[in-house]
Amino acid sequence: MSTPHIEAAVGAIADTVVLPGDPLRARFLAHELLDAPVQVNARRNMLGYTGGWHGRPVTVMGGGMGIPSTAIYVTELARTYGVRRIIRVGTSGGVGEVAVGDVLLAQSGSTDSRFNRMQFGGHDLSACADFGLLRAAVDAAGAQGMPARLAHVFSTDCFYDGDPQLLAQLRRHRIHGIEMETAGLYGLAMREGFAALAILAVSDHLDSGTSMPPEQREQGLLALGRLALAAAVPPGS
């Protein structure tokens, strides 16, 4: 049975999903990292592929931009397809004591969105990563010799022209990444009962104005994908 936004048959999507925002990044990661990837979704061009990683099935699928888009796909993946682990891989703006190219393992996701509050009776929800996935990502990064930093991130609804005081508040609270999806993903994981983690590369530093060159973005994406897969499906698991 398909859903309104995912046309895959039940069973075609693995219980572990790597979720970049851009569907073309999903296609790139699937063909570069998975064994024998097969396209399982193209509805609305939100491409999804299932293949093998160390003998285990894994799906790589796009989730779109922002919490509302991510929430649609993640909810359907969890409720209809029984997905139990979702790792977001993507880019983040950097704030404060991080540098372009740094890898952030998001412990928590704060936000200016009302998405989690609407599901939590108007209260503040502590939207946090799954500890098992977070610990596995720390271990995998160490094994790969990849410097990765535990970080708090902020998910904003405003890519342009947001709160002019926001960066000062992020610095004050030692939040080092700003992006658009993690808080919603973590809130959904808590409600729907799956494990979630966001692994992010700092692509642009909002204090210094420096940016990651295009070739570094491509290679960095592959590194994030490998790290996500190693965390979700550790060798020998």
Side-chain angles (χ1 to χ4, degrees):
M1 183 181 93
S2 63
T3 70
H5 306 94
I6 304 173
E7 64 189 350
V10 171
I13 292 177
D15 64 359
T16 296
V17 172
V18 175
L19 193 80
D22 185 347
L24 296 183
R25 288 181 177 176
R27 182 173 68 185
F28 174 73
L29 286 175
H31 284 93
E32 290 291 325
L33 299 177
L34 300 184
D35 297 326
V38 175
Q39 184 173 306
V40 295
N41 186 61
R43 184 169 290 169
R44 294 175 176 258
N45 288 321
M46 192 56 73
L47 305 175
Y49 300 83
T50 297
W53 173 261
H54 294 307
R56 292 273 298 275
V58 174
T59 297
V60 182
M61 181 172 157
M65 295 178 66
I67 288 175
S69 178
T70 300
I72 288 171
Y73 291 104
V74 165
T75 299
E76 294 179 10
L77 288 170
R79 291 183 182 177
T80 301
Y81 296 96
V83 172
R84 307 317 306 152
R85 286 169 296 279
I86 297 178
I87 300 185
R88 160 166 155 67
V89 293
T91 55
S92 169
V95 181
E97 299 172 0
V98 293
V100 168
D102 282 359
V103 175
L104 307 181
L105 306 177
Q107 297 184 77
S108 67
S110 300
T111 185
D112 55 17
S113 170
R114 292 188 65 249
F115 181 81
N116 287 333
R117 281 192 170 196
M118 287 190 293
Q119 309 296 322
F120 197 55
H123 305 296
D124 292 328
L125 178 75
S126 295
C128 300
D130 175 78
F131 178 72
L133 282 180
L134 184 61
R135 180 171 60 183
V138 170
D139 292 344
Q144 295 176 14
M146 175 190 291
R149 176 174 186 153
L150 293 176
H152 304 293
V153 304
F154 187 90
S155 302
T156 181
D157 279 347
C158 297
F159 189 86
Y160 296 110
D161 302 327
D163 180 359
Q165 304 302 316
L166 177 59
L167 291 185
Q169 294 292 342
L170 299 185
R171 292 188 209 99
R172 183 179 182 187
H173 289 85
R174 295 173 177 80
I175 293 174
H176 292 303
I178 180 169
E179 44 83 79
M180 301 185 73
E181 294 84 18
T182 296
L185 172 63
Y186 287 1
L188 278 167
M190 295 169 73
R191 287 190 291 280
E192 298 295 329
F194 62 89
L197 177 65
I199 302 177
L200 309 166
V202 176
S203 58
D204 305 272
H205 201 287
L206 301 182
D207 294 320
S208 68
T210 54
S211 298
M212 187 183 292
E215 61 274 12
Q216 187 179 359
R217 287 177 188 256
E218 180 175 300
Q219 293 305 313
L221 178 65
L222 278 174
L224 294 188
R226 290 191 187 96
L227 179 57
L229 290 166
V233 187
S237 64

